Amino acid sequence: MGESAQRSRASAKPTSLSAVHAPVVRNAALSARPSKLSCLDNQMWHAGNLGKSGLRVSCLGLGTWVTFGSQISDEMAENLMTMAYENGVNLFDTAEVYASGRAEITLGIIIKKKGWRRSSFVITTKIYWGGQAETERGLSRKHIIEGLRGSLSRLQLEYVDIVFANRNDVNSPMEEIVRAMTFVINQGMAMYWGTSRWSAMEIMEAYSVARQFNLIPPVCEQAEYHYFQRDKVEVQLPELYHKIGVGAMTWSPLACGLITGKYSDGVPECSRAAMKGYQWLKERVNSEEGRRQLAKIKELHLLADRLGCTAAQLAIAWCLRSEGVSSVLLGVSNTDQLLENLGALRILSQMTPQTITEIDGLLGNKPHSKKELRA
């Protein structure tokens, strides 16, 4: 489909999923899951708490990595945000490093133009890589505060809802990180803070420091999660959820597009793996492990066909069925992809134990918890 056709399609107001029913509560505890999985009206939106915090987030969010300010036009970015918002998505994620700050600028311009009530959506950004100077990256008190101020300026916002530490910084003491995050929250620059790509041990250390010094602990971990990256989200994070209430916001449910099957016959020119700076993805696709994964993906496509959905919808629904996952971030470059991905909600009821067992059998990589290993 050409870009003009995409634009005309995006300008037509989609059927609103959120307008049909009030949001359905999504608790992270697995025991509370049946209500989510059994209520399958095809036009139903799901929202719930982020971990054990009081913040309500849609179970699907829109990410801006690679796309905003880089791969797609500002007009397409606006079409995507509008379509997402009108279909019940209230979570929009970015980072200071995305497109060297241009992703935040684009997001901010769209928010200002749309005039949506600030209280009706959630904006998250991530701090770590801010610039070339030594003082412009990492998690020092200086960069957390200055980096967030820079993000707010680009976003044209008074505050973000969550500021994430976009990896741990071994050169900054944990107490300094937690104190700085507490400071930006107390100053009204953020409502909550979270971690991204931190180990379970590092998150526990941050929580312990917060409790020791009466500071604010993190509420969420952002983690990569898909068919081929499972251990952290399925074994480590549920433990943290039950112990300290940390929720999981996951990204890359389609493994950078691998799961869609677009790389089955090589790397298409217009794909992410063909973009400048993504040689690592091209190498991953062409590696021996990548070939093995593509073979499994072909089998999963057959399962998706049997269930009456696309491979992408099956993969996203599979991510949402996991205990402790509060929201899955989508990365899309056009409105067709977004509509397809939002359709994953329609097949949540098909994520039955039998289907999950069949997927586990195809993948052959189900991680085991400590309890299972001891047994």
Side-chain angles (χ1 to χ4, degrees):
M1 182 183 284
E3 193 176 81
S4 60
Q6 289 172 351
R7 284 200 292 266
S8 63
R9 177 163 182 168
S11 62
K13 188 173 180 180
T15 303
S16 173
L17 299 176
S18 58
V20 181
H21 292 279
V24 176
V25 175
R26 294 182 72 247
N27 288 326
L30 197 58
S31 59
R33 284 285 167 123
S35 62
K36 184 189 91 168
L37 297 179
S38 59
C39 60
L40 223 215
D41 176 342
N42 279 347
Q43 303 266 299
M44 191 165 292
W45 194 258
H46 306 275
N49 290 42
L50 181 62
K52 291 185 182 176
S53 78
L55 183 63
R56 304 281 291 176
V57 294
S58 51
C59 65
L60 296 177
L62 184 64
T64 60
W65 179 43
V66 185
T67 52
F68 280 44
S70 178
Q71 186 185 16
I72 63 174
S73 68
D74 290 354
E75 185 179 2
M76 179 55 73
E78 183 180 340
N79 290 339
L80 290 170
M81 274 198 74
T82 303
M83 181 176 282
Y85 184 79
E86 289 180 352
N87 279 275
V89 173
N90 75 352
L91 173 62
F92 301 95
D93 176 73
T94 190
E96 64 172 352
V97 72
Y98 292 171
S100 303
R102 292 191 305 279
E104 289 179 324
I105 291 169
T106 301
L107 191 60
I109 289 170
I110 294 168
I111 291 167
K112 195 166 188 179
K113 182 178 176 182
K114 300 308 290 187
W116 297 324
R117 294 188 322 282
R118 180 62 185 90
S119 55
S120 69
F121 56 88
V122 173
I123 298 292
T124 68
T125 195
K126 297 183 282 296
I127 302 296
Y128 192 94
W129 292 279
Q132 297 304 310
E134 284 292 320
T135 50
E136 292 176 325
R137 55 182 180 266
L139 297 178
S140 65
R141 180 181 178 88
K142 177 178 173 64
H143 183 57
I144 287 173
I145 295 168
E146 290 177 345
L148 183 53
R149 280 183 183 147
S151 288
L152 293 176
S153 175
R154 289 186 291 275
L155 288 163
Q156 301 181 67
L157 295 175
E158 291 180 10
Y159 64 92
V160 292
D161 296 278
I162 311 173
V163 56
F164 285 98
N166 200 8
R167 65 169 282 184
N168 189 27
D169 180 5
V170 294
N171 295 313
S172 296
M174 188 61 77
E175 185 183 340
E176 180 176 342
I177 296 169
V178 180
R179 283 192 183 279
M181 289 298 191
T182 300
F183 175 81
V184 296
I185 291 171
N186 289 339
Q187 290 293 304
M189 297 162 70
M191 300 287 190
Y192 305 85
W193 79 277
T195 57
S196 180
R197 297 190 289 185
W198 283 35
S199 70
M201 195 178 294
E202 289 163 347
I203 296 167
M204 275 304 299
E205 186 186 351
Y207 177 84
S208 299
V209 166
R211 286 289 172 252
Q212 183 181 353
F213 297 106
N214 198 27
L215 302 171
I216 299 172
V219 297
C220 177
E221 160 68 7
Q222 259 197 35
E224 183 177 3
Y225 182 47
H226 48 73
Y227 290 145
F228 308 111
Q229 187 93 321
R230 301 180 61 176
D231 187 70
K232 182 177 181 179
V233 171
E234 294 185 20
V235 176
Q236 298 168 31
L237 293 187
E239 273 189 48
L240 283 183
Y241 170 78
H242 291 296
K243 284 179 181 173
I244 62 176
V246 166
M249 190 183 289
T250 69
W251 48 276
S252 203
L254 305 180
C256 294
L258 193 74
I259 288 164
T260 63
K262 71 168 76 171
Y263 298 117
S264 295
D265 301 313
V267 177
E269 281 183 30
C270 59
S271 66
R272 186 176 296 188
M275 290 173 63
K276 187 180 178 183
Y278 289 85
Q279 181 64 27
W280 59 269
L281 180 54
K282 192 173 185 177
E283 288 171 1
R284 178 168 139 190
V285 169
N286 293 325
S287 69
E288 194 178 324
E289 179 63 20
R291 294 290 116 194
R292 278 199 295 270
Q293 290 175 355
L294 286 169
K296 290 177 181 179
I297 287 163
K298 282 183 180 175
E299 295 184 63
L300 289 161
H301 275 239
L302 296 174
L303 174 59
D305 289 342
R306 214 170 71 228
L307 295 173
C309 64
T310 68
Q313 289 168 341
L314 179 63
I316 293 163
W318 178 87
C319 290
L320 281 170
R321 110 278 172 219
S322 188
E323 179 185 12
V325 172
S326 301
S327 193
V328 172
L329 297 174
L330 307 174
V332 294
S333 57
N334 61 60
T335 51
D336 286 342
Q337 287 178 0
L338 178 58
L339 280 175
E340 178 190 352
N341 289 1
L342 293 177
L345 295 177
R346 298 187 189 117
I347 63 152
L348 278 173
S349 66
Q350 296 184 58
M351 290 296 102
T352 60
Q354 292 90 339
T355 303
I356 298 302
T357 300
E358 187 172 353
I359 292 172
D360 283 338
L362 288 172
L363 294 173
N365 64 354
K366 184 182 178 182
H368 296 284
S369 67
K370 290 174 187 172
K371 286 180 186 174
E372 289 173 319
L373 289 173
R374 281 198 295 269

